[in-house]
Amino acid sequence: LALKEKNYQVYTLRGNHEQMLLDARLGGSAHMLWMMNGGEFTLRSFGVSSPDELDEKYQTFFAGTEFYQTGKDFIAVHAGLNFDAEDPFNDLESILWIRGFEVDLNFLNGRLLIHGHTPIPKEKILSQPLEGAINIDGGCFYQSLPEMGHLVAFKLEERKFLVVDNED
């Protein structure tokens, strides 16, 4: 949000946890699912007890996240794409939740699919071939597990991974 306020061009992707937060506002089982998947930590970090109590700027931010971002050389999504779907971009459930998908290089047409959702060790991230699909989920939350606890980004222009250790 601070970068957007400084007029940086920022694209934010929606993941399963953001979707669960948005759904939690409806109550019922959606609220319970979110609470069992980190919702209580999120609420505590914002100093509130309900997702409805989040400041409007954060609610607007989460609601404005995009399911995917595409460019000439890339496709970015949270979890991955279901290449068996008639249009993988319309399968929002898979964009948020899929694991272990088979990549369709014809669909990608030379673009790199950048995704996360499934934490993998840093060394596995850094050793991926930079074609087809790359997973950049370094398990930032899992800092107590060996080879996890890293926030990873991918610099498209340089085709280079950027890794920062979780300092929390």
Side-chain angles (χ1 to χ4, degrees):
L1 291 174
L3 291 173
K4 281 186 173 190
E5 288 173 8
K6 293 178 182 176
N7 293 320
Y8 283 90
Q9 190 172 20
V10 177
Y11 300 98
T12 52
L13 295 176
R14 182 174 305 181
N16 57 315
H17 289 269
E18 290 80 14
Q19 187 63 53
M20 283 189 284
L21 181 152
L22 293 168
D23 294 343
R25 297 182 66 205
L26 304 173
S29 62
H31 185 268
M32 287 304 300
L33 177 65
W34 182 60
M35 292 301 285
M36 293 184 324
N37 284 280
E40 66 182 272
F41 298 107
T42 303
L43 292 175
R44 194 176 318 130
S45 74
F46 281 98
V48 298
S49 58
S50 160
D52 291 325
E53 295 173 11
L54 286 172
D55 186 291
E56 185 62 36
K57 73 178 179 181
Y58 298 117
Q59 292 188 36
T60 300
F61 170 79
F62 289 121
T65 54
E66 301 176 68
F67 287 97
Y68 60 89
Q69 186 62 231
T70 62
K72 185 180 120 226
D73 300 325
F74 74 95
I75 299 170
V77 298
H78 172 70
L81 292 174
N82 174 9
F83 291 102
D84 293 329
E86 185 174 328
D87 181 353
F89 292 120
N90 286 334
D91 185 349
L92 302 181
E93 186 78 9
S94 291
I95 287 173
L96 297 175
W97 291 95
I98 198 168
R99 297 185 195 269
F101 56 93
E102 291 291 323
V103 176
D104 181 343
L105 295 175
N106 290 325
F107 180 86
L108 293 178
N109 194 26
R111 295 177 292 184
L112 183 63
L113 175 62
I114 305 164
H115 71 94
H117 184 64
T118 304
I120 61 175
K122 177 174 76 171
E123 293 310 315
K124 188 171 181 179
I125 291 172
L126 298 175
S127 66
Q128 295 175 97
L130 301 180
E131 56 189 28
I134 58 169
N135 181 347
I136 62 169
D137 190 337
C140 193
F141 179 79
Y142 301 108
Q143 67 191 55
S144 62
L145 297 177
E147 286 300 312
M148 295 293 192
H150 305 96
L151 181 63
V152 181
F154 185 72
K155 196 165 187 179
L156 280 165
E157 303 81 23
E158 297 175 23
R159 299 185 68 79
K160 175 181 170 183
F161 294 101
L162 304 173
V163 180
V164 177
D165 293 343
N166 181 340
E167 296 178 7
D168 192 17

